[in-house]
Amino acid sequence: MVWVLLALSLSVQAAPRDLVGDWYEAASGNESGQRPHDFNKQEINRVAKVAVTGGHFLFKTDFTLDVPGRYVIDFKNTSVIGHFRHRIFDEKNRLVALEAGGIQSTETNPFFLRHGRELELPAGRYHLVTELESPFFLGAPELYLDTLNDYRQAIKPGNALVLFGLGVFLGLGIYYAALALVRKRAAEGMYALFILGNFLFNGSALLVFPELFGMHWIYLVSFPILFSNAAYIVFVLALLEIGNISQPRLYKAGIILLAIMGTFALLAVIKPNWSLELDRYGVGLFLSYGLTAGIVRTRQGSVSAKLYLVAIAMFFLLGGVAITQAQLNGVYTVYIEHIGLLAVAVEVILLALVLSYQFAQLHREKEIALERMELSNRIAHTDALTGLANRYALDVELDQLSNQASLTFIDLDGLKYYNDQYGHVRGDDLLRSFAHHLVECLDGNGRLYRIGGDEFAITCPDGDVTWLESILANAIRCMHISGFEFAGASAGHVHFHEAVGKSELKHIADTRMYQNKRQRKQLELELQVSRID
């Protein structure tokens, strides 16, 4: 992606003119944050380029314009410049242009998110003197001159990237912060802090905050990154589930890096001009740690680590370019800051896919757990032989029915006979046949339970015991027809309003069932005696 961006930048502009000259540094610099001033009042020393730890610098060069027109003077490589001032003199040493700006400057930028300054110059020979003063630089700024029309086209890809990247940071930063609040997980919270640090860095370094909100504090470029680097280490520990027991070496390395990040933050307070350099070292450390942790956890079989490894590998490549202070030869309007922005944006997007996978995995695991729970619940509340609800399900149902409902206990006759005469298989058939026929007769107006052995129960919401007696008799007739001519049943009914509590309800039903059983046996005995007589 970085090469696509660079190619696009090159394709929309003709070759600008590099302004090659000499750099000088003030022998005794000013306090950071002051406006540039006249170098003629102090001693200066020639240097190869500006120091990344900042200072007060002067650039001098001569150039010739063969064609009059409207030109733009700007810096390449970096946009992190506190103050600058361009002074252009003609052949007679007359000042023909004076332009100033910078992140710390309140001067209005004529070009959005750029330090470019427009010049109307006739053909001729000119002398340029540029002053820079900044507490630090992300890279070595170099000056160039371009025509106005070419410059306007050339800055578009970089500006588009800035708006895209900050939009990604803002949207996904809020998303991760919301996830952290809902899920109460360190991974999302730390990554939200990491995004916030990069949002502040890029918004300041690439002139969004100075231009749109008047925020000219240049240390927003450096200090937020010190904390976001530490947040990233904690994020990796949480995302890849690196613990002191499971991965002691990785965990110890992460804790050591957090201590180093804390030390960097203290050093930055003492030496603020070194804060951006400390950021650079911190980025290198967390990138190396993230890549190493991703590789190790991937080899241990973590699926999340495999996906994370893709994100950190891209981040490592692009981020490595951003922290090397490499000069982007032949590229003028794409800065090192743009490369860093692209690196983080790519990783943020890819990690959104990693978290999406984790959410999907958690959803699948939750569904599986719910299915297992439901299966266990069914097993716990279902009779294996008949498929009917069991006594545990009955207890649950008794808590939910109204006072109009009824409970019926049934004792099935004939089980011992069929077990003894034909074996337990035939006895099991008897139980299944009874369950089948009675459920058909109930037709959804009541629920049948097997509560053990040859005992069953029915709950009826409307409490119509007369109807229950009729369907029970009908079920027994169906069993006689199907080959179980010795089957019979005794039943005891009780309405819910007759008892206080489940125990009393079941006791009454059970008592009445056995009363009915004794009455049936007595009746059968009397019938047998009458037949003998």
Side-chain angles (χ1 to χ4, degrees):
M1 291 184 69
V2 63
W3 302 116
V4 172
L5 178 67
L6 297 180
L8 182 59
S9 177
L10 288 172
S11 67
V12 297
Q13 71 175 60
R17 176 187 296 188
D18 287 313
L19 297 176
V20 181
D22 298 319
W23 283 100
Y24 301 87
E25 182 180 13
S28 55
N30 298 320
E31 294 296 325
S32 297
Q34 293 182 357
R35 295 178 59 83
H37 60 283
D38 193 347
F39 261 92
N40 294 327
K41 297 179 181 178
Q42 59 181 303
E43 181 182 353
I44 59 174
N45 299 317
R46 187 172 178 177
V47 294
K49 59 181 180 180
V50 301
V52 291
T53 52
H56 191 184
F57 298 91
L58 179 73
F59 176 77
K60 296 182 178 182
T61 190
D62 295 318
F63 64 92
T64 301
L65 292 178
D66 298 326
V67 179
R70 299 168 70 183
Y71 294 88
V72 177
I73 186 171
D74 199 359
F75 301 93
K76 65 178 183 178
N77 294 332
T78 183
S79 60
V80 177
I81 298 170
H83 287 284
F84 68 83
R85 182 169 64 172
H86 303 302
R87 290 178 292 181
I88 299 179
F89 302 89
D90 62 13
E91 292 178 303
K92 298 180 180 180
N93 204 32
R94 293 176 300 191
L95 182 65
V96 296
L98 175 62
E99 300 288 345
I103 294 176
Q104 295 174 289
S105 172
T106 57
E107 296 284 342
T108 302
N109 287 330
F111 300 98
F112 185 53
L113 309 184
R114 297 289 165 167
H115 291 309
R117 293 297 183 265
E118 184 178 347
L119 308 169
E120 182 76 36
L121 297 174
R125 184 173 178 79
Y126 296 93
H127 178 67
L128 168 66
V129 178
T130 295
E131 289 183 68
L132 299 182
E133 189 169 14
S134 186
F136 42 66
F137 301 94
L138 186 61
E142 296 181 1
L143 288 112
Y144 70 94
L145 195 69
D146 201 0
T147 62
L148 177 61
N149 289 336
D150 289 342
Y151 181 82
R152 283 174 172 168
Q153 294 299 315
I155 63 177
K156 290 179 179 179
N159 288 357
L161 174 63
V162 173
L163 299 178
F164 168 76
L166 292 183
V168 169
F169 292 169
L170 185 61
L172 289 180
I174 294 173
Y175 172 69
Y176 286 120
L179 280 181
L181 291 175
V182 172
R183 302 183 65 193
K184 295 180 174 58
R185 273 206 343 167
E188 287 82 3
M190 290 299 103
Y191 204 66
L193 290 177
F194 170 75
I195 293 175
L196 175 62
N198 281 274
F199 181 77
L200 295 175
F201 165 79
N202 286 285
S204 301
L206 291 164
L207 310 181
V208 176
F209 294 166
E211 287 204 31
L212 299 184
F213 308 113
M215 300 170 62
H216 298 281
W217 191 46
I218 197 169
Y219 289 104
L220 278 177
V221 173
S222 59
F223 278 90
I225 296 297
L226 292 168
F227 298 99
S228 71
N229 290 347
Y232 194 90
I233 298 295
V234 180
F235 161 73
V236 173
L237 291 171
L239 179 73
L240 301 184
E241 300 176 337
I242 298 172
N244 190 28
I245 298 177
S246 54
Q247 292 83 29
R249 292 183 179 179
L250 281 178
Y251 180 81
K252 184 177 180 180
I255 299 301
I256 292 173
L257 285 181
L258 286 175
I260 293 174
M261 299 298 179
T263 304
F264 283 178
L266 292 175
L267 290 174
V269 173
I270 299 170
K271 290 286 188 179
N273 63 307
W274 275 89
S275 57
L276 197 56
E277 277 298 282
L278 294 170
D279 288 342
R280 196 191 314 273
Y281 301 144
V283 170
L285 288 173
F286 86 65
L287 284 175
S288 300
Y289 179 75
L291 185 63
T292 302
I295 293 173
V296 172
R297 294 291 288 128
T298 297
R299 295 180 64 181
Q300 291 175 346
S302 170
V303 178
S304 295
K306 291 179 182 178
L307 298 174
Y308 168 72
L309 189 58
V310 176
I312 189 61
M314 291 292 295
F315 194 14
F316 188 87
L317 293 175
L318 294 175
V321 174
I323 65 174
T324 56
Q325 303 180 31
Q327 297 183 7
L328 304 176
N329 295 325
V331 180
Y332 294 85
T333 57
V334 174
Y335 304 141
I336 296 173
E337 290 86 341
H338 290 123
I339 307 302
L341 173 67
L342 180 63
V344 179
V346 168
E347 206 230 15
V348 167
I349 293 171
L350 291 177
L351 275 177
L353 300 178
V354 175
L355 290 179
S356 296
Y357 167 80
Q358 286 190 330
F359 295 154
Q361 185 67 19
L362 285 173
H363 180 72
R364 285 193 294 269
E365 292 174 356
K366 180 180 178 181
E367 290 296 318
I368 292 172
L370 288 174
E371 289 176 2
R372 289 176 178 172
M373 185 182 299
E374 185 178 350
L375 177 61
S376 298
N377 187 59
R378 286 200 303 269
I379 292 173
H381 292 79
T382 303
D383 175 59
L385 177 64
T386 62
L388 297 174
N390 61 17
R391 66 169 57 250
Y392 302 109
L394 174 62
D395 283 338
V396 173
E397 183 76 6
L398 292 178
D399 290 327
Q400 299 174 358
L401 292 172
S402 67
N403 282 340
Q404 288 76 33
S406 65
L407 171 66
T408 299
F409 273 8
I410 302 169
D411 182 79
L412 180 64
D413 296 336
L415 178 61
K416 185 176 186 306
Y417 171 79
Y418 285 103
N419 279 338
D420 293 343
Q421 294 295 320
Y422 304 103
H424 288 282
V425 173
R426 188 59 175 165
D428 291 345
D429 289 341
L430 171 72
L431 295 171
R432 281 193 288 263
S433 178
F434 177 70
H436 170 72
H437 289 299
L438 191 50
V439 167
E440 278 193 343
C441 292
L442 284 170
D443 194 25
N445 295 317
R447 190 178 184 188
L448 180 63
Y449 306 80
R450 183 187 179 205
I451 56 179
D454 55 4
E455 293 186 353
F456 294 81
I458 298 174
T459 55
C460 183
D462 58 15
D464 190 348
V465 297
T466 303
W467 173 74
L468 288 173
E469 286 286 354
S470 66
I471 66 165
L472 180 59
N474 189 40
I476 295 298
R477 283 194 296 272
C478 292
M479 292 184 67
H480 291 168
I481 295 171
S482 62
F484 294 102
E485 61 274 12
F486 296 105
S490 304
H493 309 282
V494 59
H495 287 91
F496 278 43
H497 62 77
E498 296 183 69
V500 179
K502 292 187 293 185
S503 297
E504 185 179 358
L505 191 71
K506 289 187 287 186
H507 175 71
I508 295 174
D510 190 59
T511 300
R512 290 176 179 176
M513 178 189 71
Y514 280 105
Q515 286 176 351
N516 180 252
K517 190 178 183 70
R518 286 193 295 271
Q519 290 172 357
R520 289 180 61 250
K521 286 186 177 180
Q522 182 65 31
L523 181 59
E524 289 175 359
L525 183 60
E526 291 175 357
L527 288 173
Q528 290 176 4
V529 170
S530 65
R531 286 172 184 169
I532 294 173
D533 293 342

